[in-house]
PDB file of all heavy atoms in Angstrom:
ATOM      1  N   ALA A   1       6.470 -16.939  -3.377  1.00 91.00           N
ATOM      2  CA  ALA A   1       6.707 -18.347  -3.823  1.00 91.00           C
ATOM      3  C   ALA A   1       7.104 -19.379  -2.691  1.00 91.00           C
ATOM      4  O   ALA A   1       6.712 -20.477  -2.663  1.00 91.00           O
ATOM      5  CB  ALA A   1       7.947 -18.406  -4.745  1.00 91.00           C
ATOM      6  N   LYS A   2       7.534 -18.737  -1.525  1.00 91.00           N
ATOM      7  CA  LYS A   2       7.763 -19.470  -0.396  1.00 91.00           C
ATOM      8  C   LYS A   2       6.692 -19.238   0.780  1.00 91.00           C
ATOM      9  O   LYS A   2       6.837 -19.855   1.826  1.00 91.00           O
ATOM     10  CB  LYS A   2       9.094 -19.147   0.265  1.00 91.00           C
ATOM     11  CG  LYS A   2      10.364 -19.466  -0.654  1.00 91.00           C
ATOM     12  CD  LYS A   2      11.599 -19.167   0.044  1.00 91.00           C
ATOM     13  CE  LYS A   2      12.849 -19.465  -0.857  1.00 91.00           C
ATOM     14  NZ  LYS A   2      14.135 -19.224  -0.148  1.00 91.00           N
ATOM     15  N   ASN A   3       5.738 -18.374   0.428  1.00 91.00           N
ATOM     16  CA  ASN A   3       4.713 -18.111   1.466  1.00 91.00           C
ATOM     17  C   ASN A   3       5.228 -17.567   2.715  1.00 91.00           C
ATOM     18  O   ASN A   3       4.993 -18.045   3.762  1.00 91.00           O
ATOM     19  CB  ASN A   3       3.851 -19.340   1.743  1.00 91.00           C
ATOM     20  CG  ASN A   3       2.355 -19.030   2.079  1.00 91.00           C
ATOM     21  OD1 ASN A   3       1.799 -18.105   1.528  1.00 91.00           O
ATOM     22  ND2 ASN A   3       1.836 -19.821   2.873  1.00 91.00           N
ATOM     23  N   MET A   4       6.199 -16.644   2.597  1.00 94.00           N
ATOM     24  CA  MET A   4       6.977 -16.120   3.744  1.00 94.00           C
ATOM     25  C   MET A   4       6.873 -14.576   3.694  1.00 94.00           C
ATOM     26  O   MET A   4       6.726 -13.907   2.773  1.00 94.00           O
ATOM     27  CB  MET A   4       8.320 -16.402   3.701  1.00 94.00           C
ATOM     28  CG  MET A   4       8.565 -17.985   4.009  1.00 94.00           C
ATOM     29  SD  MET A   4       8.251 -18.438   5.668  1.00 94.00           S
ATOM     30  CE  MET A   4       9.543 -17.729   6.623  1.00 94.00           C
ATOM     31  N   LEU A   5       6.755 -13.986   4.972  1.00 96.00           N
ATOM     32  CA  LEU A   5       6.939 -12.603   5.272  1.00 96.00           C
ATOM     33  C   LEU A   5       7.995 -12.244   6.142  1.00 96.00           C
ATOM     34  O   LEU A   5       8.453 -13.061   6.985  1.00 96.00           O
ATOM     35  CB  LEU A   5       5.450 -12.116   5.958  1.00 96.00           C
ATOM     36  CG  LEU A   5       5.399 -10.739   6.372  1.00 96.00           C
ATOM     37  CD1 LEU A   5       5.254  -9.756   5.090  1.00 96.00           C
ATOM     38  CD2 LEU A   5       4.285 -10.466   7.437  1.00 96.00           C
ATOM     39  N   TYR A   6       8.620 -11.167   5.930  1.00 98.00           N
ATOM     40  CA  TYR A   6       9.820 -10.842   6.660  1.00 98.00           C
ATOM     41  C   TYR A   6       9.807  -9.410   7.227  1.00 98.00           C
ATOM     42  O   TYR A   6       9.172  -8.452   6.604  1.00 98.00           O
ATOM     43  CB  TYR A   6      11.196 -10.761   5.917  1.00 98.00           C
ATOM     44  CG  TYR A   6      11.334 -12.253   5.216  1.00 98.00           C
ATOM     45  CD1 TYR A   6      11.076 -12.503   3.855  1.00 98.00           C
ATOM     46  CD2 TYR A   6      11.880 -13.353   5.993  1.00 98.00           C
ATOM     47  CE1 TYR A   6      11.245 -13.717   3.304  1.00 98.00           C
ATOM     48  CE2 TYR A   6      11.951 -14.616   5.388  1.00 98.00           C
ATOM     49  CZ  TYR A   6      11.675 -14.698   4.075  1.00 98.00           C
ATOM     50  OH  TYR A   6      11.804 -15.978   3.586  1.00 98.00           O
ATOM     51  N   LEU A   7      10.560  -9.003   8.190  1.00 98.00           N
ATOM     52  CA  LEU A   7      10.740  -7.733   8.712  1.00 98.00           C
ATOM     53  C   LEU A   7      12.199  -7.562   9.136  1.00 98.00           C
ATOM     54  O   LEU A   7      12.566  -8.151  10.194  1.00 98.00           O
ATOM     55  CB  LEU A   7       9.789  -7.463   9.898  1.00 98.00           C
ATOM     56  CG  LEU A   7       9.834  -5.987  10.505  1.00 98.00           C
ATOM     57  CD1 LEU A   7       9.230  -5.046   9.343  1.00 98.00           C
ATOM     58  CD2 LEU A   7       9.078  -5.798  11.776  1.00 98.00           C
ATOM     59  N   ARG A   8      12.934  -6.868   8.381  1.00 98.00           N
ATOM     60  CA  ARG A   8      14.299  -6.435   8.721  1.00 98.00           C
ATOM     61  C   ARG A   8      14.356  -5.330   9.492  1.00 98.00           C
ATOM     62  O   ARG A   8      13.702  -4.233   9.223  1.00 98.00           O
ATOM     63  CB  ARG A   8      15.019  -6.331   7.446  1.00 98.00           C
ATOM     64  CG  ARG A   8      16.514  -5.811   7.567  1.00 98.00           C
ATOM     65  CD  ARG A   8      17.392  -6.841   8.030  1.00 98.00           C
ATOM     66  NE  ARG A   8      18.821  -6.294   8.390  1.00 98.00           N
ATOM     67  CZ  ARG A   8      19.776  -7.097   8.637  1.00 98.00           C
ATOM     68  NH1 ARG A   8      19.682  -8.421   8.835  1.00 98.00           N
ATOM     69  NH2 ARG A   8      21.026  -6.533   8.816  1.00 98.00           N
ATOM     70  N   MET A   9      15.000  -5.393  10.703  1.00 98.00           N
ATOM     71  CA  MET A   9      14.947  -4.294  11.646  1.00 98.00           C
ATOM     72  C   MET A   9      16.437  -3.865  11.881  1.00 98.00           C
ATOM     73  O   MET A   9      17.339  -4.760  12.325  1.00 98.00           O
ATOM     74  CB  MET A   9      14.392  -4.713  12.940  1.00 98.00           C
ATOM     75  CG  MET A   9      12.948  -5.240  12.768  1.00 98.00           C
ATOM     76  SD  MET A   9      12.102  -5.482  14.355  1.00 98.00           S
ATOM     77  CE  MET A   9      13.092  -6.855  14.911  1.00 98.00           C
ATOM     78  N   ASP A  10      16.876  -2.689  11.492  1.00 98.00           N
ATOM     79  CA  ASP A  10      18.183  -2.245  11.697  1.00 98.00           C
ATOM     80  C   ASP A  10      18.180  -0.951  12.619  1.00 98.00           C
ATOM     81  O   ASP A  10      17.045  -0.346  12.873  1.00 98.00           O
ATOM     82  CB  ASP A  10      18.774  -1.721  10.354  1.00 98.00           C
ATOM     83  CG  ASP A  10      18.962  -2.917   9.491  1.00 98.00           C
ATOM     84  OD1 ASP A  10      19.513  -4.015   9.796  1.00 98.00           O
ATOM     85  OD2 ASP A  10      18.522  -2.724   8.182  1.00 98.00           O
ATOM     86  N   SER A  11      19.338  -0.663  13.153  1.00 98.00           N
ATOM     87  CA  SER A  11      19.408   0.542  14.145  1.00 98.00           C
ATOM     88  C   SER A  11      18.495   0.417  15.137  1.00 98.00           C
ATOM     89  O   SER A  11      17.822   1.418  15.500  1.00 98.00           O
ATOM     90  CB  SER A  11      19.320   1.756  13.263  1.00 98.00           C
ATOM     91  OG  SER A  11      20.312   1.837  12.193  1.00 98.00           O
ATOM     92  N   LEU A  12      18.367  -0.649  15.771  1.00 98.00           N
ATOM     93  CA  LEU A  12      17.335  -0.960  16.717  1.00 98.00           C
ATOM     94  C   LEU A  12      17.527  -0.050  18.003  1.00 98.00           C
ATOM     95  O   LEU A  12      18.735   0.232  18.441  1.00 98.00           O
ATOM     96  CB  LEU A  12      17.272  -2.384  17.170  1.00 98.00           C
ATOM     97  CG  LEU A  12      16.522  -3.291  16.215  1.00 98.00           C
ATOM     98  CD1 LEU A  12      16.918  -4.769  16.391  1.00 98.00           C
ATOM     99  CD2 LEU A  12      15.098  -3.079  16.310  1.00 98.00           C
ATOM    100  N   LYS A  13      16.464   0.372  18.516  1.00 98.00           N
ATOM    101  CA  LYS A  13      16.586   1.147  19.712  1.00 98.00           C
ATOM    102  C   LYS A  13      15.769   0.536  20.931  1.00 98.00           C
ATOM    103  O   LYS A  13      14.905  -0.254  20.733  1.00 98.00           O
ATOM    104  CB  LYS A  13      15.756   2.552  19.408  1.00 98.00           C
ATOM    105  CG  LYS A  13      16.257   3.331  18.227  1.00 98.00           C
ATOM    106  CD  LYS A  13      15.486   4.438  17.925  1.00 98.00           C
ATOM    107  CE  LYS A  13      15.900   5.240  16.753  1.00 98.00           C
ATOM    108  NZ  LYS A  13      15.102   6.583  16.447  1.00 98.00           N
ATOM    109  N   PRO A  14      16.133   0.962  22.133  1.00 97.00           N
ATOM    110  CA  PRO A  14      15.438   0.313  23.311  1.00 97.00           C
ATOM    111  C   PRO A  14      13.863   0.443  23.191  1.00 97.00           C
ATOM    112  O   PRO A  14      13.179  -0.575  23.623  1.00 97.00           O
ATOM    113  CB  PRO A  14      15.990   1.076  24.433  1.00 97.00           C
ATOM    114  CG  PRO A  14      17.324   1.457  24.027  1.00 97.00           C
ATOM    115  CD  PRO A  14      17.209   1.782  22.605  1.00 97.00           C
ATOM    116  N   GLU A  15      13.386   1.537  22.644  1.00 97.00           N
ATOM    117  CA  GLU A  15      11.921   1.723  22.426  1.00 97.00           C
ATOM    118  C   GLU A  15      11.360   0.828  21.469  1.00 97.00           C
ATOM    119  O   GLU A  15      10.109   0.822  21.269  1.00 97.00           O
ATOM    120  CB  GLU A  15      11.714   3.152  22.147  1.00 97.00           C
ATOM    121  CG  GLU A  15      12.376   3.789  20.921  1.00 97.00           C
ATOM    122  CD  GLU A  15      13.570   4.474  21.480  1.00 97.00           C
ATOM    123  OE1 GLU A  15      14.322   4.060  22.256  1.00 97.00           O
ATOM    124  OE2 GLU A  15      13.905   5.569  20.841  1.00 97.00           O
ATOM    125  N   ASP A  16      12.266   0.116  20.775  1.00 98.00           N
ATOM    126  CA  ASP A  16      11.577  -1.082  19.845  1.00 98.00           C
ATOM    127  C   ASP A  16      11.293  -2.279  20.568  1.00 98.00           C
ATOM    128  O   ASP A  16      10.690  -3.225  19.999  1.00 98.00           O
ATOM    129  CB  ASP A  16      12.524  -1.256  18.705  1.00 98.00           C
ATOM    130  CG  ASP A  16      12.757  -0.080  17.775  1.00 98.00           C
ATOM    131  OD1 ASP A  16      11.783   0.570  17.377  1.00 98.00           O
ATOM    132  OD2 ASP A  16      13.881   0.192  17.338  1.00 98.00           O
ATOM    133  N   THR A  17      11.631  -2.278  21.769  1.00 98.00           N
ATOM    134  CA  THR A  17      11.321  -3.615  22.643  1.00 98.00           C
ATOM    135  C   THR A  17       9.787  -3.758  22.624  1.00 98.00           C
ATOM    136  O   THR A  17       9.047  -2.866  23.058  1.00 98.00           O
ATOM    137  CB  THR A  17      11.954  -3.463  24.017  1.00 98.00           C
ATOM    138  OG1 THR A  17      13.349  -3.361  23.979  1.00 98.00           O
ATOM    139  CG2 THR A  17      11.506  -4.517  24.882  1.00 98.00           C
ATOM    140  N   ALA A  18       9.463  -4.938  22.271  1.00 98.00           N
ATOM    141  CA  ALA A  18       7.961  -5.383  22.264  1.00 98.00           C
ATOM    142  C   ALA A  18       7.844  -6.742  21.703  1.00 98.00           C
ATOM    143  O   ALA A  18       8.829  -7.328  21.354  1.00 98.00           O
ATOM    144  CB  ALA A  18       7.254  -4.405  21.208  1.00 98.00           C
ATOM    145  N   VAL A  19       6.602  -7.249  21.846  1.00 98.00           N
ATOM    146  CA  VAL A  19       6.201  -8.469  21.138  1.00 98.00           C
ATOM    147  C   VAL A  19       5.802  -8.120  19.791  1.00 98.00           C
ATOM    148  O   VAL A  19       4.880  -7.238  19.579  1.00 98.00           O
ATOM    149  CB  VAL A  19       5.235  -9.223  21.947  1.00 98.00           C
ATOM    150  CG1 VAL A  19       4.739 -10.571  21.138  1.00 98.00           C
ATOM    151  CG2 VAL A  19       5.693  -9.667  23.324  1.00 98.00           C
ATOM    152  N   TYR A  20       6.393  -8.742  18.732  1.00 98.00           N
ATOM    153  CA  TYR A  20       5.984  -8.331  17.329  1.00 98.00           C
ATOM    154  C   TYR A  20       5.021  -9.436  16.800  1.00 98.00           C
ATOM    155  O   TYR A  20       5.347 -10.646  16.880  1.00 98.00           O
ATOM    156  CB  TYR A  20       7.202  -8.283  16.608  1.00 98.00           C
ATOM    157  CG  TYR A  20       7.966  -7.135  16.696  1.00 98.00           C
ATOM    158  CD1 TYR A  20       8.725  -6.711  18.047  1.00 98.00           C
ATOM    159  CD2 TYR A  20       8.062  -5.962  15.787  1.00 98.00           C
ATOM    160  CE1 TYR A  20       9.335  -5.603  18.200  1.00 98.00           C
ATOM    161  CE2 TYR A  20       8.617  -4.804  15.943  1.00 98.00           C
ATOM    162  CZ  TYR A  20       9.322  -4.554  17.216  1.00 98.00           C
ATOM    163  OH  TYR A  20       9.996  -3.425  17.443  1.00 98.00           O
ATOM    164  N   TYR A  21       4.018  -9.043  16.080  1.00 98.00           N
ATOM    165  CA  TYR A  21       3.139  -9.997  15.592  1.00 98.00           C
ATOM    166  C   TYR A  21       2.913  -9.755  14.001  1.00 98.00           C
ATOM    167  O   TYR A  21       2.948  -8.675  13.553  1.00 98.00           O
ATOM    168  CB  TYR A  21       1.726  -9.727  16.031  1.00 98.00           C
ATOM    169  CG  TYR A  21       1.542  -9.832  17.604  1.00 98.00           C
ATOM    170  CD1 TYR A  21       1.884  -8.685  18.469  1.00 98.00           C
ATOM    171  CD2 TYR A  21       1.150 -11.061  18.167  1.00 98.00           C
ATOM    172  CE1 TYR A  21       1.749  -8.868  19.772  1.00 98.00           C
ATOM    173  CE2 TYR A  21       1.018 -11.147  19.585  1.00 98.00           C
ATOM    174  CZ  TYR A  21       1.385 -10.043  20.384  1.00 98.00           C
ATOM    175  OH  TYR A  21       1.334 -10.219  21.771  1.00 98.00           O
ATOM    176  N   CYS A  22       2.833 -10.903  13.325  1.00 97.00           N
ATOM    177  CA  CYS A  22       2.495 -10.724  11.875  1.00 97.00           C
ATOM    178  C   CYS A  22       1.006 -10.910  11.741  1.00 97.00           C
ATOM    179  O   CYS A  22       0.374 -11.602  12.649  1.00 97.00           O
ATOM    180  CB  CYS A  22       3.229 -11.584  11.059  1.00 97.00           C
ATOM    181  SG  CYS A  22       2.879 -13.463  11.287  1.00 97.00           S
ATOM    182  N   ALA A  23       0.592 -10.423  10.691  1.00 97.00           N
ATOM    183  CA  ALA A  23      -1.036 -10.513  10.420  1.00 97.00           C
ATOM    184  C   ALA A  23      -1.319 -10.584   8.956  1.00 97.00           C
ATOM    185  O   ALA A  23      -0.482 -10.003   8.235  1.00 97.00           O
ATOM    186  CB  ALA A  23      -1.659  -9.211  10.935  1.00 97.00           C
ATOM    187  N   ALA A  24      -2.333 -11.273   8.679  1.00 95.00           N
ATOM    188  CA  ALA A  24      -2.702 -11.451   7.175  1.00 95.00           C
ATOM    189  C   ALA A  24      -4.137 -11.140   7.033  1.00 95.00           C
ATOM    190  O   ALA A  24      -4.986 -11.437   7.835  1.00 95.00           O
ATOM    191  CB  ALA A  24      -2.342 -12.903   6.842  1.00 95.00           C
ATOM    192  N   LYS A  25      -4.439 -10.448   5.885  1.00 94.00           N
ATOM    193  CA  LYS A  25      -5.749 -10.191   5.496  1.00 94.00           C
ATOM    194  C   LYS A  25      -6.181 -11.149   4.521  1.00 94.00           C
ATOM    195  O   LYS A  25      -5.289 -11.367   3.497  1.00 94.00           O
ATOM    196  CB  LYS A  25      -5.818  -8.744   5.031  1.00 94.00           C
ATOM    197  CG  LYS A  25      -7.229  -8.435   4.439  1.00 94.00           C
ATOM    198  CD  LYS A  25      -7.254  -6.913   4.030  1.00 94.00           C
ATOM    199  CE  LYS A  25      -8.605  -6.462   3.512  1.00 94.00           C
ATOM    200  NZ  LYS A  25      -9.722  -6.737   4.519  1.00 94.00           N
ATOM    201  N   ILE A  26      -7.354 -11.891   4.491  1.00 88.00           N
ATOM    202  CA  ILE A  26      -7.572 -12.939   3.546  1.00 88.00           C
ATOM    203  C   ILE A  26      -7.643 -12.463   2.188  1.00 88.00           C
ATOM    204  O   ILE A  26      -7.005 -13.127   1.437  1.00 88.00           O
ATOM    205  CB  ILE A  26      -9.008 -13.379   3.938  1.00 88.00           C
ATOM    206  CG1 ILE A  26      -9.096 -14.099   5.354  1.00 88.00           C
ATOM    207  CG2 ILE A  26      -9.553 -14.413   2.918  1.00 88.00           C
ATOM    208  CD1 ILE A  26     -10.465 -14.540   5.817  1.00 88.00           C
ATOM    209  N   TRP A  27      -8.077 -11.331   1.883  1.00 84.00           N
ATOM    210  CA  TRP A  27      -8.314 -10.934   0.449  1.00 84.00           C
ATOM    211  C   TRP A  27      -8.371  -9.376   0.475  1.00 84.00           C
ATOM    212  O   TRP A  27      -8.997  -8.796   1.214  1.00 84.00           O
ATOM    213  CB  TRP A  27      -9.469 -11.717  -0.184  1.00 84.00           C
ATOM    214  CG  TRP A  27      -9.631 -11.273  -1.563  1.00 84.00           C
ATOM    215  CD1 TRP A  27      -9.007 -11.919  -2.550  1.00 84.00           C
ATOM    216  CD2 TRP A  27     -10.644 -10.453  -2.194  1.00 84.00           C
ATOM    217  NE1 TRP A  27      -9.484 -11.342  -3.891  1.00 84.00           N
ATOM    218  CE2 TRP A  27     -10.347 -10.491  -3.573  1.00 84.00           C
ATOM    219  CE3 TRP A  27     -11.517  -9.462  -1.633  1.00 84.00           C
ATOM    220  CZ2 TRP A  27     -11.149  -9.650  -4.381  1.00 84.00           C
ATOM    221  CZ3 TRP A  27     -12.240  -8.743  -2.457  1.00 84.00           C
ATOM    222  CH2 TRP A  27     -12.099  -8.792  -3.847  1.00 84.00           C
ATOM    223  N   SER A  28      -7.894  -8.956  -0.827  1.00 86.00           N
ATOM    224  CA  SER A  28      -7.934  -7.487  -1.064  1.00 86.00           C
ATOM    225  C   SER A  28      -8.237  -7.304  -2.628  1.00 86.00           C
ATOM    226  O   SER A  28      -7.597  -7.974  -3.306  1.00 86.00           O
ATOM    227  CB  SER A  28      -6.868  -6.745  -0.592  1.00 86.00           C
ATOM    228  OG  SER A  28      -6.873  -5.359  -0.916  1.00 86.00           O
ATOM    229  N   GLN A  29      -9.192  -6.669  -2.906  1.00 87.00           N
ATOM    230  CA  GLN A  29      -9.528  -6.370  -4.326  1.00 87.00           C
ATOM    231  C   GLN A  29      -8.266  -5.551  -5.028  1.00 87.00           C
ATOM    232  O   GLN A  29      -7.950  -5.843  -6.132  1.00 87.00           O
ATOM    233  CB  GLN A  29     -10.733  -5.652  -4.567  1.00 87.00           C
ATOM    234  CG  GLN A  29     -11.158  -5.336  -6.052  1.00 87.00           C
ATOM    235  CD  GLN A  29     -12.419  -4.657  -6.181  1.00 87.00           C
ATOM    236  OE1 GLN A  29     -13.041  -4.290  -5.125  1.00 87.00           O
ATOM    237  NE2 GLN A  29     -12.878  -4.407  -7.291  1.00 87.00           N
ATOM    238  N   TYR A  30      -7.647  -4.742  -4.280  1.00 90.00           N
ATOM    239  CA  TYR A  30      -6.586  -3.929  -4.960  1.00 90.00           C
ATOM    240  C   TYR A  30      -5.254  -4.303  -4.160  1.00 90.00           C
ATOM    241  O   TYR A  30      -5.222  -4.859  -3.073  1.00 90.00           O
ATOM    242  CB  TYR A  30      -6.880  -2.584  -4.557  1.00 90.00           C
ATOM    243  CG  TYR A  30      -8.218  -2.066  -5.149  1.00 90.00           C
ATOM    244  CD1 TYR A  30      -9.265  -1.820  -4.421  1.00 90.00           C
ATOM    245  CD2 TYR A  30      -8.425  -1.932  -6.550  1.00 90.00           C
ATOM    246  CE1 TYR A  30     -10.521  -1.531  -4.907  1.00 90.00           C
ATOM    247  CE2 TYR A  30      -9.643  -1.546  -7.126  1.00 90.00           C
ATOM    248  CZ  TYR A  30     -10.759  -1.408  -6.290  1.00 90.00           C
ATOM    249  OH  TYR A  30     -11.843  -1.011  -6.773  1.00 90.00           O
ATOM    250  N   ASP A  31      -4.274  -4.019  -4.869  1.00 93.00           N
ATOM    251  CA  ASP A  31      -2.823  -4.257  -4.470  1.00 93.00           C
ATOM    252  C   ASP A  31      -2.464  -3.103  -3.520  1.00 93.00           C
ATOM    253  O   ASP A  31      -1.643  -2.297  -3.895  1.00 93.00           O
ATOM    254  CB  ASP A  31      -1.827  -4.386  -5.578  1.00 93.00           C
ATOM    255  CG  ASP A  31      -0.511  -4.903  -5.174  1.00 93.00           C
ATOM    256  OD1 ASP A  31      -0.511  -5.738  -4.312  1.00 93.00           O
ATOM    257  OD2 ASP A  31       0.515  -4.519  -5.807  1.00 93.00           O
ATOM    258  N   MET A  32      -3.003  -3.151  -2.339  1.00 94.00           N
ATOM    259  CA  MET A  32      -2.808  -2.030  -1.443  1.00 94.00           C
ATOM    260  C   MET A  32      -2.380  -2.520  -0.081  1.00 94.00           C
ATOM    261  O   MET A  32      -2.399  -3.822   0.244  1.00 94.00           O
ATOM    262  CB  MET A  32      -4.059  -1.162  -1.180  1.00 94.00           C
ATOM    263  CG  MET A  32      -5.265  -1.902  -0.692  1.00 94.00           C
ATOM    264  SD  MET A  32      -6.751  -0.969  -0.796  1.00 94.00           S
ATOM    265  CE  MET A  32      -6.374   0.172   0.654  1.00 94.00           C
ATOM    266  N   THR A  33      -1.950  -1.512   0.848  1.00 95.00           N
ATOM    267  CA  THR A  33      -1.521  -1.893   2.261  1.00 95.00           C
ATOM    268  C   THR A  33      -2.569  -1.361   3.171  1.00 95.00           C
ATOM    269  O   THR A  33      -3.442  -0.470   2.951  1.00 95.00           O
ATOM    270  CB  THR A  33      -0.253  -1.163   2.510  1.00 95.00           C
ATOM    271  OG1 THR A  33      -0.451   0.331   2.259  1.00 95.00           O
ATOM    272  CG2 THR A  33       0.826  -1.644   1.560  1.00 95.00           C
ATOM    273  N   TYR A  34      -2.477  -2.072   4.325  1.00 96.00           N
ATOM    274  CA  TYR A  34      -3.514  -1.705   5.394  1.00 96.00           C
ATOM    275  C   TYR A  34      -2.654  -1.465   6.731  1.00 96.00           C
ATOM    276  O   TYR A  34      -1.900  -2.295   7.148  1.00 96.00           O
ATOM    277  CB  TYR A  34      -4.409  -2.951   5.706  1.00 96.00           C
ATOM    278  CG  TYR A  34      -5.280  -3.235   4.409  1.00 96.00           C
ATOM    279  CD1 TYR A  34      -4.759  -3.923   3.357  1.00 96.00           C
ATOM    280  CD2 TYR A  34      -6.560  -2.697   4.310  1.00 96.00           C
ATOM    281  CE1 TYR A  34      -5.504  -4.122   2.304  1.00 96.00           C
ATOM    282  CE2 TYR A  34      -7.353  -2.883   3.198  1.00 96.00           C
ATOM    283  CZ  TYR A  34      -6.798  -3.590   2.233  1.00 96.00           C
ATOM    284  OH  TYR A  34      -7.622  -3.797   1.084  1.00 96.00           O
ATOM    285  N   ASP A  35      -2.918  -0.388   7.390  1.00 96.00           N
ATOM    286  CA  ASP A  35      -2.143   0.059   8.436  1.00 96.00           C
ATOM    287  C   ASP A  35      -3.056   0.081   9.798  1.00 96.00           C
ATOM    288  O   ASP A  35      -2.570   0.668  10.742  1.00 96.00           O
ATOM    289  CB  ASP A  35      -1.420   1.422   8.284  1.00 96.00           C
ATOM    290  CG  ASP A  35      -2.412   2.576   8.068  1.00 96.00           C
ATOM    291  OD1 ASP A  35      -3.605   2.270   8.104  1.00 96.00           O
ATOM    292  OD2 ASP A  35      -2.061   3.674   7.912  1.00 96.00           O
TER     293      ASP A  35
END
């Protein structure tokens, strides 16, 4: 409804240090995930 995506990150570790990117796929026929 707000056109928003989130990533909650808990128990962070030094190895989580990085640049984080969000990405969007234009369309999917099925309600599935893409890794």
Side-chain angles (χ1 to χ4, degrees):
K2 296 183 178 180
N3 210 33
M4 291 290 293
L5 174 73
Y6 306 102
L7 183 69
R8 171 73 181 188
M9 305 184 295
D10 295 315
S11 302
L12 282 161
K13 304 175 181 180
E15 50 263 43
D16 294 318
T17 295
V19 177
Y20 283 71
Y21 301 89
C22 69
K25 180 175 176 58
I26 294 175
W27 180 80
S28 175
Q29 182 176 2
Y30 303 105
D31 192 34
M32 59 183 288
T33 57
Y34 297 82
D35 61 1

